[in-house]
Amino acid sequence: MSPDHAAGDENGRLIQAVAICRDREAFARLFEYFAPRLKAYLMHAGAPAGAAEDFAQDAMLTVWRKADLFDPSRASAATWIFTIARNRRLDVLRKESRPLPVADLSLLPDEPDRPDDLLSGAEEAARLTEAMRRLSPDHIEVLRLAFFQGAAHSEIARHLDLPLGTVKSRIRKAMIKLRIALEPLRGLE
């Protein structure tokens, strides 16, 4: 059994413990694992950081209240929880009469990967890490802020006390360097 599949089974058991006996420790473990992932997912889907955190907490509260509705034969724990978060966000957008974002199903977690997919992903991550090591500290900093912390370009400019154009230029140059560093390797796949 793959580690992801085992984790999925464990998360399903934790949800069932919440449903059956309102197990606070089980819920705390679920919250600790899923809340940051939900926030990142929601930010990637377009929610501002504060709103994403609120949606994530609201989704986890829904998990607490509706754990008895979880059916592991219909969906994995991760899929069920991420769907709750996505639906809560869409409900708020509807109430605010905002246009709904186009669904990007590629953002939802899939069922556990096969071992060869996991190995391929690990190799790709290692290549990306090596390519990142070749970047200048300035490039690494703007990429870290933009992609790993979800900061807007204007926020990065304020944080680093740089002109907005410089931030955009550094991000663009860093991405070009990464693409060049990774391109020859992608051609071999």
Side-chain angles (χ1 to χ4, degrees):
M1 181 183 305
S2 74
D4 285 342
H5 187 71
D9 287 347
E10 176 64 16
N11 290 330
R13 283 191 287 278
L14 292 172
I15 293 172
Q16 290 173 339
V18 170
I20 295 167
C21 37
R22 290 291 181 222
D23 185 329
R24 289 176 185 260
E25 184 179 323
F27 181 74
R29 289 177 55 198
L30 286 167
F31 191 93
E32 181 180 308
Y33 180 79
F34 283 105
R37 287 164 176 78
L38 290 173
K39 180 181 176 185
Y41 160 72
L42 291 162
M43 286 175 59
H44 189 77
E53 189 167 335
D54 290 344
F55 288 130
Q57 289 179 5
D58 186 49
M60 292 308 296
L61 182 60
T62 302
V63 169
W64 172 261
R65 288 191 319 252
K66 298 188 177 188
D68 58 316
L69 298 178
F70 172 65
D71 181 356
S73 68
R74 293 183 61 202
S76 70
T79 300
W80 186 68
I81 291 171
F82 275 80
T83 300
I84 289 170
R86 178 185 162 274
N87 290 344
R88 299 299 291 166
R89 178 170 178 259
L90 292 176
D91 289 345
V92 169
L93 291 174
R94 280 188 197 101
K95 285 178 186 174
E96 294 177 352
S97 299
R98 289 188 188 170
L100 297 177
V102 176
D104 185 356
L105 299 178
S106 67
L107 297 176
L108 289 175
D110 293 329
E111 293 302 314
D113 292 328
R114 296 185 320 242
D116 55 332
D117 291 339
L118 292 172
L119 179 62
S120 174
E123 290 171 350
E124 198 167 304
R127 289 191 300 245
L128 179 58
T129 300
E130 181 57 34
M132 291 282 293
R133 283 191 185 120
R134 295 182 199 152
L135 295 177
S136 72
D138 291 341
H139 287 148
I140 291 171
E141 181 68 6
V142 293
L143 290 180
R144 182 184 65 78
L145 291 168
F147 295 103
F148 298 109
Q149 293 187 358
H153 293 175
S154 58
E155 293 174 47
I156 297 169
R158 278 192 304 275
H159 178 73
L160 298 177
D161 195 27
L162 293 170
L164 181 59
T166 301
V167 169
K168 290 181 177 188
S169 176
R170 284 184 185 175
I171 290 172
R172 186 180 72 251
K173 287 178 182 177
M175 293 302 291
I176 290 169
K177 287 181 179 185
L178 286 176
R179 187 177 307 123
I180 290 168
L182 295 173
E183 230 170 47
L185 298 172
R186 290 183 191 273
L188 297 174
E189 294 175 351

Short mmCIF file of all heavy atoms in Angstrom, two decimals, residues 59-116:
data_model
loop_
_atom_site.label_atom_id
_atom_site.label_comp_id
_atom_site.label_asym_id
_atom_site.label_seq_id
_atom_site.Cartn_x
_atom_site.Cartn_y
_atom_site.Cartn_z
N ALA A 59 -14.74 25.23 6.08
CA ALA A 59 -14.84 23.87 5.53
C ALA A 59 -14.55 22.83 6.61
O ALA A 59 -15.25 21.82 6.72
CB ALA A 59 -13.87 23.70 4.37
N MET A 60 -13.56 23.10 7.45
CA MET A 60 -13.23 22.15 8.51
C MET A 60 -14.34 22.10 9.56
O MET A 60 -14.63 21.04 10.11
CB MET A 60 -11.87 22.48 9.14
CG MET A 60 -10.70 22.26 8.20
SD MET A 60 -10.64 20.62 7.40
CE MET A 60 -10.42 19.56 8.83
N LEU A 61 -14.99 23.22 9.82
CA LEU A 61 -16.14 23.22 10.72
C LEU A 61 -17.27 22.37 10.14
O LEU A 61 -17.94 21.63 10.86
CB LEU A 61 -16.62 24.66 10.97
CG LEU A 61 -17.79 24.82 11.94
CD1 LEU A 61 -17.44 24.26 13.31
CD2 LEU A 61 -18.17 26.29 12.06
N THR A 62 -17.45 22.46 8.83
CA THR A 62 -18.44 21.63 8.15
C THR A 62 -18.07 20.15 8.28
O THR A 62 -18.96 19.31 8.48
CB THR A 62 -18.58 22.04 6.67
OG1 THR A 62 -18.94 23.42 6.62
CG2 THR A 62 -19.60 21.20 5.94
N VAL A 63 -16.79 19.83 8.18
CA VAL A 63 -16.35 18.44 8.37
C VAL A 63 -16.75 17.98 9.77
O VAL A 63 -17.25 16.87 9.94
CB VAL A 63 -14.82 18.30 8.15
CG1 VAL A 63 -14.32 16.95 8.62
CG2 VAL A 63 -14.46 18.54 6.69
N TRP A 64 -16.55 18.83 10.78
CA TRP A 64 -16.92 18.47 12.16
C TRP A 64 -18.43 18.21 12.26
O TRP A 64 -18.86 17.21 12.82
CB TRP A 64 -16.50 19.59 13.11
CG TRP A 64 -17.00 19.39 14.51
CD1 TRP A 64 -18.10 19.98 15.08
CD2 TRP A 64 -16.45 18.54 15.51
NE1 TRP A 64 -18.24 19.56 16.37
CE2 TRP A 64 -17.24 18.67 16.66
CE3 TRP A 64 -15.35 17.69 15.55
CZ2 TRP A 64 -16.98 17.98 17.84
CZ3 TRP A 64 -15.08 17.00 16.72
CH2 TRP A 64 -15.89 17.14 17.84
N ARG A 65 -19.21 19.12 11.67
CA ARG A 65 -20.67 19.01 11.80
C ARG A 65 -21.27 17.89 10.95
O ARG A 65 -22.27 17.30 11.33
CB ARG A 65 -21.32 20.34 11.40
CG ARG A 65 -21.13 21.45 12.40
CD ARG A 65 -22.01 22.65 12.11
NE ARG A 65 -22.10 22.98 10.70
CZ ARG A 65 -21.54 24.04 10.13
NH1 ARG A 65 -20.84 24.89 10.84
NH2 ARG A 65 -21.68 24.26 8.84
N LYS A 66 -20.66 17.61 9.80
CA LYS A 66 -21.28 16.67 8.86
C LYS A 66 -20.44 15.42 8.63
O LYS A 66 -20.59 14.75 7.60
CB LYS A 66 -21.55 17.38 7.54
CG LYS A 66 -22.53 18.54 7.71
CD LYS A 66 -22.94 19.10 6.39
CE LYS A 66 -23.98 20.19 6.61
NZ LYS A 66 -24.55 20.65 5.36
N ALA A 67 -19.59 15.09 9.56
CA ALA A 67 -18.71 13.92 9.39
C ALA A 67 -19.52 12.65 9.15
O ALA A 67 -19.06 11.75 8.44
CB ALA A 67 -17.82 13.76 10.62
N ASP A 68 -20.73 12.59 9.69
CA ASP A 68 -21.55 11.39 9.51
C ASP A 68 -22.01 11.21 8.06
O ASP A 68 -22.44 10.12 7.68
CB ASP A 68 -22.76 11.43 10.44
CG ASP A 68 -23.63 12.66 10.23
OD1 ASP A 68 -23.07 13.77 10.10
OD2 ASP A 68 -24.86 12.51 10.19
N LEU A 69 -21.87 12.25 7.22
CA LEU A 69 -22.25 12.14 5.81
C LEU A 69 -21.12 11.60 4.94
O LEU A 69 -21.34 11.30 3.77
CB LEU A 69 -22.69 13.51 5.28
CG LEU A 69 -23.92 14.12 5.96
CD1 LEU A 69 -24.20 15.50 5.37
CD2 LEU A 69 -25.13 13.21 5.81
N PHE A 70 -19.92 11.49 5.50
CA PHE A 70 -18.78 10.99 4.73
C PHE A 70 -18.97 9.52 4.39
O PHE A 70 -19.27 8.70 5.26
CB PHE A 70 -17.48 11.17 5.51
CG PHE A 70 -16.29 10.51 4.86
CD1 PHE A 70 -15.82 10.95 3.63
CD2 PHE A 70 -15.65 9.45 5.47
CE1 PHE A 70 -14.73 10.35 3.02
CE2 PHE A 70 -14.56 8.84 4.88
CZ PHE A 70 -14.10 9.29 3.65
N ASP A 71 -18.81 9.18 3.12
CA ASP A 71 -18.94 7.80 2.66
C ASP A 71 -17.66 7.43 1.91
O ASP A 71 -17.45 7.85 0.78
CB ASP A 71 -20.15 7.67 1.72
CG ASP A 71 -20.36 6.25 1.23
OD1 ASP A 71 -19.54 5.35 1.52
OD2 ASP A 71 -21.37 6.04 0.52
N PRO A 72 -16.78 6.64 2.57
CA PRO A 72 -15.50 6.31 1.93
C PRO A 72 -15.64 5.49 0.64
O PRO A 72 -14.70 5.44 -0.14
CB PRO A 72 -14.75 5.52 3.01
CG PRO A 72 -15.79 5.08 3.98
CD PRO A 72 -16.93 6.05 3.89
N SER A 73 -16.81 4.91 0.40
CA SER A 73 -17.00 4.17 -0.85
C SER A 73 -17.27 5.12 -2.02
O SER A 73 -17.15 4.73 -3.18
CB SER A 73 -18.14 3.17 -0.72
OG SER A 73 -19.39 3.84 -0.60
N ARG A 74 -17.62 6.38 -1.72
CA ARG A 74 -17.92 7.35 -2.77
C ARG A 74 -16.76 8.28 -3.09
O ARG A 74 -16.63 8.77 -4.21
CB ARG A 74 -19.15 8.16 -2.39
CG ARG A 74 -20.40 7.29 -2.35
CD ARG A 74 -21.64 8.07 -2.05
NE ARG A 74 -21.86 9.07 -3.08
CZ ARG A 74 -22.58 10.16 -2.90
NH1 ARG A 74 -23.15 10.39 -1.76
NH2 ARG A 74 -22.74 11.02 -3.87
N ALA A 75 -15.93 8.58 -2.08
CA ALA A 75 -14.81 9.51 -2.30
C ALA A 75 -13.79 9.32 -1.19
O ALA A 75 -14.12 8.86 -0.10
CB ALA A 75 -15.31 10.94 -2.29
N SER A 76 -12.55 9.69 -1.51
CA SER A 76 -11.52 9.67 -0.47
C SER A 76 -11.79 10.82 0.49
O SER A 76 -12.52 11.76 0.18
CB SER A 76 -10.14 9.83 -1.10
OG SER A 76 -9.98 11.15 -1.59
N ALA A 77 -11.19 10.74 1.66
CA ALA A 77 -11.34 11.80 2.65
C ALA A 77 -10.89 13.14 2.06
O ALA A 77 -11.57 14.16 2.22
CB ALA A 77 -10.55 11.47 3.91
N ALA A 78 -9.75 13.15 1.38
CA ALA A 78 -9.23 14.39 0.80
C ALA A 78 -10.19 14.96 -0.24
O ALA A 78 -10.49 16.16 -0.23
CB ALA A 78 -7.86 14.15 0.17
N THR A 79 -10.71 14.13 -1.11
CA THR A 79 -11.64 14.61 -2.13
C THR A 79 -12.89 15.19 -1.49
O THR A 79 -13.37 16.25 -1.87
CB THR A 79 -12.01 13.47 -3.10
OG1 THR A 79 -10.81 13.01 -3.74
CG2 THR A 79 -13.01 13.92 -4.14
N TRP A 80 -13.40 14.50 -0.46
CA TRP A 80 -14.60 14.96 0.23
C TRP A 80 -14.36 16.32 0.88
O TRP A 80 -15.15 17.25 0.73
CB TRP A 80 -15.03 13.91 1.26
CG TRP A 80 -16.33 14.19 1.93
CD1 TRP A 80 -17.58 14.17 1.37
CD2 TRP A 80 -16.51 14.53 3.31
NE1 TRP A 80 -18.52 14.47 2.33
CE2 TRP A 80 -17.90 14.69 3.52
CE3 TRP A 80 -15.66 14.70 4.39
CZ2 TRP A 80 -18.43 15.02 4.77
CZ3 TRP A 80 -16.19 15.02 5.62
CH2 TRP A 80 -17.56 15.18 5.80
N ILE A 81 -13.25 16.46 1.57
CA ILE A 81 -12.95 17.70 2.28
C ILE A 81 -12.67 18.85 1.30
O ILE A 81 -13.17 19.96 1.48
CB ILE A 81 -11.77 17.50 3.26
CG1 ILE A 81 -12.23 16.58 4.41
CG2 ILE A 81 -11.26 18.82 3.81
CD1 ILE A 81 -11.12 16.12 5.34
N PHE A 82 -11.91 18.59 0.25
CA PHE A 82 -11.62 19.64 -0.73
C PHE A 82 -12.89 20.07 -1.47
O PHE A 82 -13.06 21.24 -1.79
CB PHE A 82 -10.54 19.20 -1.72
CG PHE A 82 -9.15 19.44 -1.22
CD1 PHE A 82 -8.55 18.55 -0.32
CD2 PHE A 82 -8.42 20.54 -1.63
CE1 PHE A 82 -7.27 18.77 0.15
CE2 PHE A 82 -7.13 20.77 -1.16
CZ PHE A 82 -6.56 19.88 -0.26
N THR A 83 -13.79 19.14 -1.69
CA THR A 83 -15.05 19.48 -2.34
C THR A 83 -15.89 20.37 -1.43
O THR A 83 -16.52 21.32 -1.90
CB THR A 83 -15.83 18.20 -2.72
OG1 THR A 83 -15.01 17.43 -3.63
CG2 THR A 83 -17.15 18.53 -3.40
N ILE A 84 -15.90 20.08 -0.14
CA ILE A 84 -16.61 20.94 0.82
C ILE A 84 -16.05 22.36 0.74
O ILE A 84 -16.81 23.34 0.66
CB ILE A 84 -16.50 20.38 2.26
CG1 ILE A 84 -17.33 19.12 2.39
CG2 ILE A 84 -16.93 21.43 3.28
CD1 ILE A 84 -17.11 18.37 3.70
N ALA A 85 -14.73 22.49 0.77
CA ALA A 85 -14.10 23.82 0.73
C ALA A 85 -14.46 24.56 -0.55
O ALA A 85 -14.82 25.74 -0.53
CB ALA A 85 -12.58 23.69 0.87
N ARG A 86 -14.37 23.87 -1.65
CA ARG A 86 -14.69 24.48 -2.94
C ARG A 86 -16.14 24.94 -2.96
O ARG A 86 -16.45 26.06 -3.37
CB ARG A 86 -14.43 23.48 -4.06
CG ARG A 86 -14.78 24.00 -5.43
CD ARG A 86 -14.60 22.88 -6.48
NE ARG A 86 -15.32 23.22 -7.67
CZ ARG A 86 -16.60 22.98 -7.89
NH1 ARG A 86 -17.33 22.38 -6.98
NH2 ARG A 86 -17.17 23.33 -9.02
N ASN A 87 -17.05 24.09 -2.49
CA ASN A 87 -18.47 24.43 -2.50
C ASN A 87 -18.79 25.59 -1.56
O ASN A 87 -19.62 26.44 -1.88
CB ASN A 87 -19.31 23.21 -2.15
CG ASN A 87 -19.29 22.18 -3.27
OD1 ASN A 87 -18.91 22.46 -4.39
ND2 ASN A 87 -19.69 20.96 -2.94
N ARG A 88 -18.13 25.65 -0.41
CA ARG A 88 -18.35 26.76 0.52
C ARG A 88 -17.93 28.08 -0.14
O ARG A 88 -18.60 29.08 -0.02
CB ARG A 88 -17.58 26.55 1.83
CG ARG A 88 -17.96 25.31 2.61
CD ARG A 88 -19.40 25.29 3.05
NE ARG A 88 -19.63 26.32 4.07
CZ ARG A 88 -20.82 26.71 4.45
NH1 ARG A 88 -21.89 26.22 3.89
NH2 ARG A 88 -20.94 27.62 5.38
N ARG A 89 -16.80 28.06 -0.84
CA ARG A 89 -16.35 29.27 -1.53
C ARG A 89 -17.33 29.68 -2.62
O ARG A 89 -17.67 30.86 -2.76
CB ARG A 89 -14.97 29.04 -2.12
CG ARG A 89 -14.47 30.26 -2.89
CD ARG A 89 -13.00 30.14 -3.27
NE ARG A 89 -12.62 31.30 -4.03
CZ ARG A 89 -12.49 31.32 -5.36
NH1 ARG A 89 -12.68 30.23 -6.05
NH2 ARG A 89 -12.14 32.42 -5.98
N LEU A 90 -17.80 28.72 -3.39
CA LEU A 90 -18.76 29.03 -4.45
C LEU A 90 -20.07 29.58 -3.87
O LEU A 90 -20.66 30.50 -4.44
CB LEU A 90 -19.03 27.79 -5.31
CG LEU A 90 -17.85 27.32 -6.16
CD1 LEU A 90 -18.21 26.03 -6.89
CD2 LEU A 90 -17.39 28.38 -7.12
N ASP A 91 -20.50 29.04 -2.74
CA ASP A 91 -21.71 29.56 -2.08
C ASP A 91 -21.56 31.03 -1.73
O ASP A 91 -22.46 31.84 -1.96
CB ASP A 91 -22.03 28.77 -0.80
CG ASP A 91 -22.52 27.36 -1.09
OD1 ASP A 91 -22.89 27.08 -2.26
OD2 ASP A 91 -22.52 26.54 -0.15
N VAL A 92 -20.40 31.39 -1.17
CA VAL A 92 -20.16 32.79 -0.80
C VAL A 92 -20.12 33.67 -2.04
O VAL A 92 -20.70 34.76 -2.06
CB VAL A 92 -18.87 32.92 0.04
CG1 VAL A 92 -18.46 34.37 0.20
CG2 VAL A 92 -19.05 32.26 1.40
N LEU A 93 -19.47 33.21 -3.09
CA LEU A 93 -19.41 33.99 -4.32
C LEU A 93 -20.80 34.20 -4.91
O LEU A 93 -21.12 35.29 -5.40
CB LEU A 93 -18.49 33.32 -5.35
CG LEU A 93 -17.00 33.33 -5.00
CD1 LEU A 93 -16.22 32.51 -6.02
CD2 LEU A 93 -16.46 34.75 -4.93
N ARG A 94 -21.64 33.17 -4.84
CA ARG A 94 -23.01 33.31 -5.34
C ARG A 94 -23.78 34.35 -4.53
O ARG A 94 -24.49 35.18 -5.08
CB ARG A 94 -23.74 31.97 -5.27
CG ARG A 94 -23.42 31.03 -6.40
CD ARG A 94 -24.33 29.80 -6.36
NE ARG A 94 -23.75 28.77 -7.17
CZ ARG A 94 -23.06 27.72 -6.72
NH1 ARG A 94 -22.89 27.55 -5.44
NH2 ARG A 94 -22.56 26.84 -7.55
N LYS A 95 -23.63 34.29 -3.21
CA LYS A 95 -24.33 35.24 -2.34
C LYS A 95 -23.87 36.67 -2.60
O LYS A 95 -24.65 37.60 -2.48
CB LYS A 95 -24.10 34.89 -0.87
CG LYS A 95 -24.88 33.68 -0.43
CD LYS A 95 -24.58 33.35 1.03
CE LYS A 95 -25.26 32.05 1.42
NZ LYS A 95 -24.89 31.62 2.76
N GLU A 96 -22.60 36.84 -2.93
CA GLU A 96 -22.08 38.17 -3.21
C GLU A 96 -22.31 38.58 -4.66
O GLU A 96 -21.87 39.64 -5.08
CB GLU A 96 -20.57 38.21 -2.89
CG GLU A 96 -20.27 38.04 -1.42
CD GLU A 96 -18.79 38.00 -1.13
OE1 GLU A 96 -17.97 37.96 -2.09
OE2 GLU A 96 -18.43 37.99 0.04
N SER A 97 -22.96 37.72 -5.44
CA SER A 97 -23.26 37.96 -6.85
C SER A 97 -22.02 38.20 -7.68
O SER A 97 -22.02 38.98 -8.62
CB SER A 97 -24.22 39.14 -7.00
OG SER A 97 -25.42 38.87 -6.34
N ARG A 98 -20.95 37.58 -7.31
CA ARG A 98 -19.73 37.67 -8.12
C ARG A 98 -19.77 36.59 -9.18
O ARG A 98 -20.38 35.54 -8.99
CB ARG A 98 -18.49 37.43 -7.25
CG ARG A 98 -18.20 38.54 -6.29
CD ARG A 98 -16.87 38.28 -5.65
NE ARG A 98 -16.61 39.23 -4.59
CZ ARG A 98 -15.63 39.11 -3.74
NH1 ARG A 98 -14.81 38.10 -3.81
NH2 ARG A 98 -15.44 40.01 -2.81
N PRO A 99 -19.08 36.82 -10.30
CA PRO A 99 -19.01 35.75 -11.30
C PRO A 99 -18.26 34.56 -10.71
O PRO A 99 -17.29 34.71 -9.99
CB PRO A 99 -18.22 36.37 -12.46
CG PRO A 99 -17.68 37.67 -11.96
CD PRO A 99 -18.37 38.01 -10.68
N LEU A 100 -18.77 33.38 -11.00
CA LEU A 100 -18.15 32.18 -10.49
C LEU A 100 -16.91 31.84 -11.29
O LEU A 100 -16.89 31.97 -12.51
CB LEU A 100 -19.14 31.00 -10.55
CG LEU A 100 -20.40 31.17 -9.71
CD1 LEU A 100 -21.32 29.98 -9.91
CD2 LEU A 100 -20.05 31.32 -8.25
N PRO A 101 -15.86 31.39 -10.61
CA PRO A 101 -14.65 31.01 -11.34
C PRO A 101 -14.91 29.72 -12.13
O PRO A 101 -15.76 28.92 -11.77
CB PRO A 101 -13.62 30.77 -10.24
CG PRO A 101 -14.42 30.48 -9.02
CD PRO A 101 -15.72 31.22 -9.17
N VAL A 102 -14.18 29.58 -13.21
CA VAL A 102 -14.27 28.37 -14.00
C VAL A 102 -13.64 27.24 -13.19
O VAL A 102 -12.54 27.39 -12.65
CB VAL A 102 -13.53 28.54 -15.35
CG1 VAL A 102 -13.54 27.25 -16.14
CG2 VAL A 102 -14.15 29.67 -16.14
N ALA A 103 -14.33 26.14 -13.09
CA ALA A 103 -13.83 25.02 -12.30
C ALA A 103 -12.55 24.49 -12.91
O ALA A 103 -12.47 24.26 -14.11
CB ALA A 103 -14.87 23.92 -12.23
N ASP A 104 -11.56 24.30 -12.09
CA ASP A 104 -10.30 23.69 -12.51
C ASP A 104 -10.14 22.41 -11.71
O ASP A 104 -9.60 22.40 -10.62
CB ASP A 104 -9.12 24.64 -12.25
CG ASP A 104 -7.82 24.09 -12.79
OD1 ASP A 104 -7.81 22.94 -13.31
OD2 ASP A 104 -6.80 24.80 -12.70
N LEU A 105 -10.67 21.33 -12.28
CA LEU A 105 -10.66 20.06 -11.57
C LEU A 105 -9.26 19.51 -11.36
O LEU A 105 -9.06 18.64 -10.53
CB LEU A 105 -11.53 19.04 -12.32
CG LEU A 105 -13.00 19.44 -12.44
CD1 LEU A 105 -13.77 18.39 -13.23
CD2 LEU A 105 -13.63 19.67 -11.09
N SER A 106 -8.30 20.06 -12.09
CA SER A 106 -6.93 19.59 -11.90
C SER A 106 -6.39 19.97 -10.54
O SER A 106 -5.40 19.42 -10.08
CB SER A 106 -6.01 20.15 -12.99
OG SER A 106 -5.89 21.55 -12.84
N LEU A 107 -7.04 20.93 -9.85
CA LEU A 107 -6.58 21.35 -8.54
C LEU A 107 -7.04 20.41 -7.43
O LEU A 107 -6.48 20.40 -6.36
CB LEU A 107 -7.08 22.76 -8.22
CG LEU A 107 -6.58 23.86 -9.14
CD1 LEU A 107 -7.23 25.18 -8.78
CD2 LEU A 107 -5.07 23.99 -9.05
N LEU A 108 -8.11 19.65 -7.68
CA LEU A 108 -8.58 18.73 -6.66
C LEU A 108 -7.59 17.57 -6.52
O LEU A 108 -7.04 17.09 -7.51
CB LEU A 108 -9.96 18.17 -7.03
CG LEU A 108 -11.10 19.16 -6.93
CD1 LEU A 108 -12.39 18.51 -7.44
CD2 LEU A 108 -11.29 19.63 -5.51
N PRO A 109 -7.38 17.12 -5.32
CA PRO A 109 -6.44 16.01 -5.15
C PRO A 109 -7.01 14.75 -5.78
O PRO A 109 -8.20 14.49 -5.71
CB PRO A 109 -6.33 15.85 -3.63
CG PRO A 109 -7.55 16.48 -3.09
CD PRO A 109 -7.97 17.55 -4.06
N ASP A 110 -6.13 14.00 -6.43
CA ASP A 110 -6.52 12.75 -7.05
C ASP A 110 -6.41 11.64 -6.03
O ASP A 110 -5.92 11.81 -4.94
CB ASP A 110 -5.59 12.42 -8.23
CG ASP A 110 -5.76 13.41 -9.37
OD1 ASP A 110 -6.88 13.92 -9.54
OD2 ASP A 110 -4.77 13.67 -10.07
N GLU A 111 -6.86 10.50 -6.46
CA GLU A 111 -6.63 9.31 -5.65
C GLU A 111 -5.12 9.08 -5.62
O GLU A 111 -4.38 9.64 -6.42
CB GLU A 111 -7.36 8.12 -6.28
CG GLU A 111 -8.87 8.25 -6.23
CD GLU A 111 -9.41 8.40 -4.82
OE1 GLU A 111 -9.00 7.66 -3.91
OE2 GLU A 111 -10.26 9.29 -4.60
N PRO A 112 -4.63 8.29 -4.71
CA PRO A 112 -3.18 8.10 -4.58
C PRO A 112 -2.53 7.68 -5.90
O PRO A 112 -3.11 6.95 -6.70
CB PRO A 112 -3.07 6.97 -3.55
CG PRO A 112 -4.34 7.03 -2.79
CD PRO A 112 -5.39 7.52 -3.76
N ASP A 113 -1.32 8.19 -6.10
CA ASP A 113 -0.57 7.89 -7.31
C ASP A 113 -0.02 6.47 -7.25
O ASP A 113 0.16 5.89 -6.19
CB ASP A 113 0.61 8.86 -7.46
CG ASP A 113 0.16 10.27 -7.74
OD1 ASP A 113 -0.88 10.43 -8.40
OD2 ASP A 113 0.85 11.20 -7.30
N ARG A 114 0.28 5.98 -8.44
CA ARG A 114 0.94 4.68 -8.53
C ARG A 114 2.40 4.87 -8.15
O ARG A 114 2.94 5.98 -8.27
CB ARG A 114 0.83 4.15 -9.96
CG ARG A 114 -0.60 3.89 -10.38
CD ARG A 114 -0.64 3.26 -11.77
NE ARG A 114 0.34 3.86 -12.66
CZ ARG A 114 0.05 4.52 -13.76
NH1 ARG A 114 -1.19 4.66 -14.14
NH2 ARG A 114 0.99 5.03 -14.52
N PRO A 115 3.08 3.83 -7.71
CA PRO A 115 4.49 3.97 -7.30
C PRO A 115 5.38 4.58 -8.38
O PRO A 115 6.24 5.40 -8.08
CB PRO A 115 4.91 2.54 -6.96
CG PRO A 115 3.64 1.87 -6.56
CD PRO A 115 2.56 2.49 -7.44
N ASP A 116 5.18 4.20 -9.65
CA ASP A 116 6.03 4.76 -10.69
C ASP A 116 5.75 6.25 -10.89
O ASP A 116 6.65 7.03 -11.20
CB ASP A 116 5.89 4.00 -12.02
CG ASP A 116 4.46 3.91 -12.53
OD1 ASP A 116 3.53 3.93 -11.70
OD2 ASP A 116 4.28 3.78 -13.74
#
